[in-house]
Amino acid sequence: RCFLLQFSASISSLKVVWRKDPKLDQAIENDKKWRMCARVVREVLNEPGQVIALSYLQKRRERLRLHVNVPTFLAQNPGLFDMYKDRIKPKSDLVTFVRASDRLNRFLEEEKIIQAENEPLIVAKLCKLLMMAKDRVVCADKLVEAKREFGFPNDFMVTLVSKYPEYFRLHGTPGEGQSFLELVNWNEEFAKSVIEKRAEAESTSLGFRVRPDFVWKLPRGFFMKKEMREWIRDWIELPYVSPYEDVSHLDPASREMEKRMVGVFHELLSLSIHKRVAVPILGKFCEEYRFSNAFSSVFTRHSGIFYMSLKGGIRTAVLREAYKGDELVDRDPLLEIKNKFVELLDEGREQRAEQLRISRETIQKDMELMARLGTNN
């Protein structure tokens, strides 16, 4: 809190007005449908036996943020699930149950293959998350909650962690109170941020040393007061502080510490699948990464680096440089899983559209036949 008071005093008169970025909002909107489907899939797969009564699933509609009833959702997304009749108890009435379809099961097998092919990338990401953390330790439950943001397999805390004892040590059991994941060995190959790697590549290409620093990419029409522009210019001139660097010697209220915090957020978003993460998820790691309680103001204060989207009623921090319009520039290899899932959804919807077309044609032919019969009579 002392840090907040001191640092805020230096920029108290420098306000950055939030400005909507329609293209980055659209990038989030583009993923809305498949994310909704993925939530329902996870809900069913997390059930014992990966089966759930349709009525139970309907009761969870609000929590799943479904805008239609579950039967309507299932009809709109054929190919995801099969429905069948069974009894909840031996002598009870038959009820409708929902389970994964053969098509969905094939996708789940493809997902495992893609994750296995990209295991070195996943291990590097997990190591990096620990290397940036204070004492190289992160709460295991928080990592589990954020697993989808970084493309970690569902069971990574069991399978992956135990497979690489040279990197990871798990203390306690996730989900059963205090549990932590610790980095055992520091790998220098992982200790370079995206920004540092980019500067090295540019230095090699140009033949002279390029200083690592952030890319500023303000949208057209974005207005910033002169005082704020000057503050940002001076801040940019400060040396870049790597998120993997020991910062115990830095004053928590210093601009250098602010630069380090921006560097950590930049690296976290760079490691994420979509180069964006919901702010509440980032907030879970305040203790591990030394974020202040008011950390979210960083995203508006540094609007040339980040964008704070309010799409869907959820604050999402977006890395500006990762997008061109509403499309990702540098796609994470693990995004192939999303592509396969979207293909599955598209196949089902195309199948439904074809069935509806055939049904309409059949009805039209029946009506024409009845009309002819009526005329003949």
Side-chain angles (χ1 to χ4, degrees):
R1 193 165 298 279
C2 178
F3 156 65
L4 286 176
L5 293 173
Q6 291 180 50
F7 188 79
S8 297
S10 67
I11 60 168
S12 58
S13 62
L14 307 177
K15 302 296 183 183
V16 179
V17 178
W18 178 85
R19 186 182 180 89
K20 182 183 178 68
D21 190 320
K23 290 183 178 179
L24 292 180
D25 280 343
Q26 186 60 45
I28 295 174
E29 181 68 20
N30 292 343
D31 289 343
K32 185 177 177 180
K33 287 184 179 179
W34 79 263
R35 283 185 179 276
M36 178 178 67
C37 292
R39 284 197 299 274
V40 179
V41 168
R42 288 195 298 271
E43 192 72 20
V44 175
L45 296 181
N46 286 338
E47 286 294 303
Q50 300 186 332
V51 168
I52 186 172
L54 180 62
S55 58
Y56 292 173
L57 195 58
Q58 175 64 21
K59 288 177 182 178
R60 301 176 192 179
R61 175 190 159 193
E62 187 174 338
R63 178 162 63 81
L64 290 168
R65 304 197 296 278
L66 286 179
H67 59 277
V68 294
N69 287 325
V70 171
T72 303
F73 167 82
L74 297 176
Q76 290 175 344
N77 297 280
L80 281 180
F81 303 104
D82 290 335
M83 287 188 283
Y84 65 99
K85 298 284 187 179
D86 202 352
R87 292 180 171 84
I88 295 177
K89 295 179 181 179
K91 294 184 180 180
S92 64
D93 294 335
L94 288 171
V95 297
T96 302
F97 281 85
V98 178
R99 65 185 172 199
S101 67
D102 290 341
R103 194 182 295 177
L104 177 56
N105 282 321
R106 285 195 296 272
F107 159 75
L108 295 171
E109 289 303 313
E110 286 183 300
E111 180 182 41
K112 290 178 183 176
I113 293 170
I114 295 168
Q115 287 171 338
E117 290 173 346
N118 289 281
E119 190 168 284
L121 171 64
I122 295 170
V123 170
K125 284 189 181 190
L126 189 53
C127 283
K128 283 172 170 283
L129 292 180
L130 296 173
M131 290 166 73
M132 285 186 284
K134 183 174 62 177
D135 302 322
R136 304 176 191 175
V137 171
V138 176
C139 173
D141 288 330
K142 294 178 183 179
L143 288 170
V144 171
E145 289 178 45
K147 64 188 176 185
R148 284 185 288 275
E149 306 298 326
F150 300 100
F152 299 155
N154 289 330
D155 58 354
F156 80 98
M157 199 59 74
V158 175
T159 56
L160 207 64
V161 167
S162 61
K163 188 176 178 180
Y164 293 90
E166 68 272 27
Y167 285 135
F168 311 117
R169 182 180 296 126
L170 182 61
H171 301 271
T173 304
E176 296 182 8
Q178 294 288 330
S179 63
F180 301 91
L181 188 63
E182 177 189 6
L183 183 75
V184 177
N185 289 307
W186 182 276
N187 187 330
E188 202 59 41
E189 288 182 20
F190 299 154
K192 287 182 181 177
S193 67
V194 168
I195 288 176
E196 289 170 306
K197 288 179 180 178
R198 181 170 61 212
E200 285 185 357
E202 289 176 358
S203 297
T204 301
S205 174
L206 298 172
F208 58 85
R209 184 179 178 274
V210 175
R211 194 183 78 162
D213 217 333
F214 304 100
V215 172
W216 268 75
K217 188 182 177 184
L218 280 173
R220 289 176 62 185
F222 190 96
F223 174 76
M224 190 177 284
K225 290 183 178 180
K226 179 183 176 183
E227 294 85 354
M228 193 65 200
R229 289 200 305 269
E230 291 175 350
W231 185 88
I232 291 294
R233 182 197 61 206
D234 293 342
W235 184 85
I236 288 176
E237 288 302 312
L238 293 171
Y240 172 75
V241 182
S242 172
Y244 301 104
E245 185 178 326
D246 179 12
V247 293
S248 57
H249 63 286
L250 289 181
D251 180 352
S254 65
R255 290 190 301 170
E256 289 80 7
M257 195 64 170
E258 163 100 345
K259 195 142 192 176
R260 185 262 176 188
M261 181 165 65
V262 172
V264 172
F265 281 128
H266 186 286
E267 189 74 352
L268 287 173
L269 295 181
S270 296
L271 291 172
S272 70
I273 293 287
H274 294 95
K275 316 306 178 193
R276 63 176 191 258
V277 178
V279 171
I281 291 178
L282 292 171
K284 294 178 185 294
F285 298 95
C286 280
E287 183 180 352
E288 286 86 350
Y289 296 126
R290 301 181 176 92
F291 300 152
S292 69
N293 292 333
F295 74 91
S296 62
S297 63
V298 165
F299 303 123
T300 49
R301 188 158 60 247
H302 298 279
S303 298
I305 303 172
F306 308 112
Y307 170 60
M308 172 82 84
S309 174
L310 306 179
K311 194 71 181 175
I314 299 173
R315 294 186 302 163
T316 303
V318 184
L319 188 61
R320 282 196 186 277
E321 70 187 57
Y323 285 84
K324 184 176 182 180
D326 62 350
E327 295 290 332
L328 274 168
V329 177
D330 185 17
R331 295 177 64 82
D332 191 296
L334 290 164
L335 272 176
E336 188 181 349
I337 292 171
K338 171 199 165 183
N339 295 342
K340 294 283 186 183
F341 188 64
V342 171
E343 285 176 16
L344 167 64
L345 297 177
D346 288 344
E347 285 173 10
R349 288 164 185 163
E350 287 172 8
Q351 178 184 325
R352 178 170 181 261
E354 179 65 13
Q355 289 171 345
L356 289 173
R357 185 186 65 78
I358 293 172
S359 177
R360 283 195 296 267
E361 288 180 356
T362 301
I363 293 171
Q364 182 66 29
K365 288 177 181 178
D366 288 345
M367 291 176 66
E368 291 173 357
L369 178 60
M370 291 175 65
R372 284 198 299 271
L373 290 173
T375 303
N376 293 335
N377 290 337

